[in-house]
Short mmCIF file of all heavy atoms in Angstrom, two decimals:
data_model
loop_
_atom_site.label_atom_id
_atom_site.label_comp_id
_atom_site.label_asym_id
_atom_site.label_seq_id
_atom_site.Cartn_x
_atom_site.Cartn_y
_atom_site.Cartn_z
N THR A 535 13.18 -3.28 17.95
CA THR A 535 13.53 -2.10 18.75
C THR A 535 14.71 -2.39 19.66
O THR A 535 15.66 -1.60 19.76
CB THR A 535 12.32 -1.64 19.58
OG1 THR A 535 11.26 -1.27 18.70
CG2 THR A 535 12.68 -0.45 20.47
N LEU A 536 14.67 -3.53 20.34
CA LEU A 536 15.76 -3.91 21.24
C LEU A 536 17.06 -4.15 20.47
O LEU A 536 18.14 -3.76 20.92
CB LEU A 536 15.38 -5.17 22.02
CG LEU A 536 14.22 -5.01 23.01
CD1 LEU A 536 13.78 -6.37 23.53
CD2 LEU A 536 14.63 -4.10 24.17
N LEU A 537 16.95 -4.79 19.32
CA LEU A 537 18.13 -5.07 18.51
C LEU A 537 18.75 -3.79 17.99
O LEU A 537 19.98 -3.65 17.91
CB LEU A 537 17.75 -5.99 17.35
CG LEU A 537 18.85 -6.61 16.51
CD1 LEU A 537 19.82 -7.39 17.38
CD2 LEU A 537 18.26 -7.51 15.45
N ALA A 538 17.90 -2.82 17.66
CA ALA A 538 18.38 -1.56 17.10
C ALA A 538 19.08 -0.68 18.14
O ALA A 538 19.65 0.36 17.78
CB ALA A 538 17.22 -0.79 16.48
N ARG A 539 19.10 -1.10 19.40
CA ARG A 539 19.88 -0.36 20.38
C ARG A 539 21.37 -0.43 20.07
O ARG A 539 22.13 0.46 20.46
CB ARG A 539 19.62 -0.90 21.79
CG ARG A 539 18.22 -0.65 22.31
CD ARG A 539 18.03 -1.14 23.72
NE ARG A 539 18.29 -2.56 23.86
CZ ARG A 539 18.16 -3.26 24.99
NH1 ARG A 539 17.78 -2.62 26.10
NH2 ARG A 539 18.41 -4.54 25.03
N PHE A 540 21.79 -1.51 19.36
CA PHE A 540 23.22 -1.70 19.14
C PHE A 540 23.56 -2.25 17.76
O PHE A 540 24.73 -2.32 17.39
CB PHE A 540 23.80 -2.66 20.19
CG PHE A 540 23.19 -4.04 20.16
CD1 PHE A 540 23.75 -5.05 19.39
CD2 PHE A 540 22.04 -4.31 20.89
CE1 PHE A 540 23.18 -6.31 19.35
CE2 PHE A 540 21.47 -5.59 20.86
CZ PHE A 540 22.04 -6.58 20.09
N GLN A 541 22.56 -2.65 16.97
CA GLN A 541 22.82 -3.38 15.73
C GLN A 541 22.03 -2.79 14.57
O GLN A 541 20.81 -2.65 14.65
CB GLN A 541 22.42 -4.85 15.91
CG GLN A 541 22.42 -5.69 14.65
CD GLN A 541 23.81 -6.04 14.17
OE1 GLN A 541 24.46 -6.92 14.74
NE2 GLN A 541 24.29 -5.36 13.14
N THR A 542 22.72 -2.44 13.49
CA THR A 542 22.05 -2.06 12.25
C THR A 542 21.70 -3.31 11.47
O THR A 542 22.46 -4.27 11.43
CB THR A 542 22.97 -1.16 11.41
OG1 THR A 542 23.21 0.06 12.10
CG2 THR A 542 22.34 -0.84 10.05
N LEU A 543 20.53 -3.31 10.83
CA LEU A 543 20.16 -4.36 9.90
C LEU A 543 19.88 -3.73 8.54
O LEU A 543 19.40 -2.59 8.47
CB LEU A 543 18.92 -5.13 10.38
CG LEU A 543 19.08 -5.97 11.65
CD1 LEU A 543 17.75 -6.60 12.03
CD2 LEU A 543 20.14 -7.05 11.47
N ASP A 544 20.17 -4.46 7.48
CA ASP A 544 19.98 -3.97 6.12
C ASP A 544 19.07 -4.90 5.33
O ASP A 544 18.82 -6.05 5.75
CB ASP A 544 21.34 -3.87 5.41
CG ASP A 544 22.21 -2.75 5.97
OD1 ASP A 544 21.68 -1.64 6.15
OD2 ASP A 544 23.41 -2.99 6.23
N PRO A 545 18.55 -4.45 4.19
CA PRO A 545 17.71 -5.32 3.37
C PRO A 545 18.39 -6.65 3.06
O PRO A 545 19.57 -6.68 2.73
CB PRO A 545 17.49 -4.49 2.10
CG PRO A 545 17.59 -3.08 2.57
CD PRO A 545 18.66 -3.08 3.62
N GLY A 546 17.64 -7.73 3.23
CA GLY A 546 18.19 -9.06 3.00
C GLY A 546 18.75 -9.72 4.23
O GLY A 546 19.05 -10.93 4.21
N ASP A 547 18.92 -8.96 5.34
CA ASP A 547 19.38 -9.56 6.59
C ASP A 547 18.25 -10.38 7.21
O ASP A 547 17.06 -10.16 6.92
CB ASP A 547 19.86 -8.49 7.57
CG ASP A 547 21.20 -7.90 7.18
OD1 ASP A 547 21.90 -8.51 6.35
OD2 ASP A 547 21.55 -6.82 7.70
N LEU A 548 18.63 -11.29 8.10
CA LEU A 548 17.70 -12.29 8.62
C LEU A 548 17.71 -12.29 10.14
O LEU A 548 18.76 -12.36 10.76
CB LEU A 548 18.11 -13.67 8.09
CG LEU A 548 17.31 -14.90 8.55
CD1 LEU A 548 15.85 -14.80 8.14
CD2 LEU A 548 17.95 -16.16 7.96
N LEU A 549 16.51 -12.21 10.74
CA LEU A 549 16.35 -12.34 12.19
C LEU A 549 15.53 -13.58 12.49
O LEU A 549 14.36 -13.68 12.09
CB LEU A 549 15.67 -11.10 12.79
CG LEU A 549 15.27 -11.21 14.27
CD1 LEU A 549 16.50 -11.40 15.16
CD2 LEU A 549 14.48 -9.97 14.71
N LEU A 550 16.13 -14.54 13.19
CA LEU A 550 15.43 -15.73 13.67
C LEU A 550 14.79 -15.39 15.01
O LEU A 550 15.48 -14.88 15.91
CB LEU A 550 16.38 -16.91 13.82
CG LEU A 550 16.74 -17.70 12.56
CD1 LEU A 550 17.36 -16.81 11.49
CD2 LEU A 550 17.69 -18.84 12.90
N THR A 551 13.50 -15.69 15.17
CA THR A 551 12.75 -15.14 16.29
C THR A 551 12.49 -16.12 17.43
O THR A 551 11.60 -15.91 18.25
CB THR A 551 11.41 -14.58 15.79
OG1 THR A 551 10.69 -15.60 15.08
CG2 THR A 551 11.63 -13.39 14.86
N GLY A 552 13.28 -17.18 17.52
CA GLY A 552 13.14 -18.11 18.63
C GLY A 552 12.33 -19.34 18.28
O GLY A 552 11.66 -19.40 17.24
N THR A 553 12.41 -20.33 19.15
CA THR A 553 11.75 -21.62 18.89
C THR A 553 10.80 -21.99 20.02
O THR A 553 11.04 -21.64 21.18
CB THR A 553 12.82 -22.73 18.70
OG1 THR A 553 12.22 -23.88 18.10
CG2 THR A 553 13.44 -23.14 20.04
N PRO A 554 9.72 -22.71 19.72
CA PRO A 554 8.83 -23.18 20.78
C PRO A 554 9.44 -24.34 21.56
O PRO A 554 10.50 -24.88 21.19
CB PRO A 554 7.59 -23.66 20.01
CG PRO A 554 7.76 -23.21 18.60
CD PRO A 554 9.22 -23.03 18.37
N GLY A 555 8.75 -24.75 22.61
CA GLY A 555 9.18 -25.93 23.35
C GLY A 555 9.09 -27.17 22.49
O GLY A 555 8.46 -27.18 21.44
N GLY A 556 9.76 -28.22 22.96
CA GLY A 556 9.72 -29.49 22.23
C GLY A 556 11.04 -29.90 21.64
O GLY A 556 11.13 -30.93 20.97
N THR A 557 12.10 -29.11 21.86
CA THR A 557 13.42 -29.52 21.39
C THR A 557 13.90 -30.73 22.21
O THR A 557 13.33 -31.06 23.25
CB THR A 557 14.43 -28.37 21.53
OG1 THR A 557 14.56 -28.01 22.91
CG2 THR A 557 13.99 -27.15 20.72
N ALA A 558 14.95 -31.36 21.72
CA ALA A 558 15.48 -32.52 22.44
C ALA A 558 16.02 -32.12 23.82
O ALA A 558 15.83 -32.83 24.80
CB ALA A 558 16.58 -33.19 21.61
N LEU A 559 16.69 -30.99 23.88
CA LEU A 559 17.29 -30.54 25.14
C LEU A 559 16.22 -30.10 26.13
O LEU A 559 15.35 -29.29 25.81
CB LEU A 559 18.25 -29.37 24.88
CG LEU A 559 18.97 -28.79 26.11
CD1 LEU A 559 19.93 -29.81 26.69
CD2 LEU A 559 19.69 -27.51 25.74
#
Side-chain angles (χ1 to χ4, degrees):
T535 298
L536 294 170
L537 190 56
R539 292 183 301 182
F540 62 91
Q541 170 75 76
T542 295
L543 293 177
D544 290 314
D547 286 344
L548 178 61
L549 172 62
L550 279 58
T551 55
T553 196
T557 61
L559 181 66

